[in-house]
Amino acid sequence: AGTDICNKVGADRIIDYRSEDVVKVLAGEDFDMAFDTMNQAAEFGGLIKNGGKIVSISGTPTIEAIESASKFGSPSLLVRAFMFMSRNRAAENNAKKAGATWEYIFMKPDGNDLAEIAKYVESGDIVPIIDTEASSLDEFAVAADKLFSGRAKGKCVIKVA
């Protein structure tokens, strides 16, 4: 279903996570990095080279990730205790066994980063995939409905003049 988009953006290999086990399909290959978007970091240790890195943006964040993303300093003691108990130790341990590291990062807006990305978009090196476009704020429901349906195959945008 989504393979057309994957081919369009230049994927070397397409793995259907609904019907294939990503770790089994990629077993025996060594990667420098794994980017975990589905809280599967604990499974990636066997795929990473010595010195590699696993980065997660899903699951329970680490205290370090919150501190690096926060303008307000460290979280409260109660939050820190919860996060310590919820930490993804399996991901940390499996990465360590492979001689790699694991970390959680927060995606955070940064004007300089966005300006750099904009240059790649303007040059055509990055081509955004837009699934649904609302022509104005008055039509926001068109984009919001598609986004919340879980069926979007790209970004859902609202044009603001």
Side-chain angles (χ1 to χ4, degrees), residues 41-140:
E43 301 172 34
F44 293 160
L47 301 175
I48 299 297
K49 290 180 182 176
N50 186 15
K53 183 175 228 168
I54 301 169
V55 175
S56 293
I57 61 169
S58 63
T60 304
T62 61
I63 295 167
E64 298 86 357
I66 287 183
E67 288 175 340
S68 73
S70 175
K71 297 178 184 175
F72 308 109
S74 294
S76 70
L77 182 60
L78 181 63
V79 170
R80 292 172 70 85
F82 170 76
M83 292 175 69
F84 178 77
M85 292 171 26
S86 303
R87 192 174 185 106
N88 193 342
R89 286 181 181 74
E92 287 178 311
N93 292 336
N94 288 339
K96 190 174 183 178
K97 284 179 193 172
T101 59
W102 170 80
E103 74 176 85
Y104 185 101
I105 62 167
F106 270 110
M107 308 291 273
K108 58 185 177 189
D110 177 285
N112 293 330
D113 290 348
L114 294 174
E116 187 169 341
I117 292 169
K119 290 178 191 174
Y120 288 108
V121 172
E122 289 167 2
S123 72
D125 290 333
I126 294 176
V127 179
I129 306 294
I130 298 175
D131 180 287
T132 304
E133 187 174 306
S135 58
S136 70
L137 274 177
D138 293 335
E139 302 292 323
F140 81 94

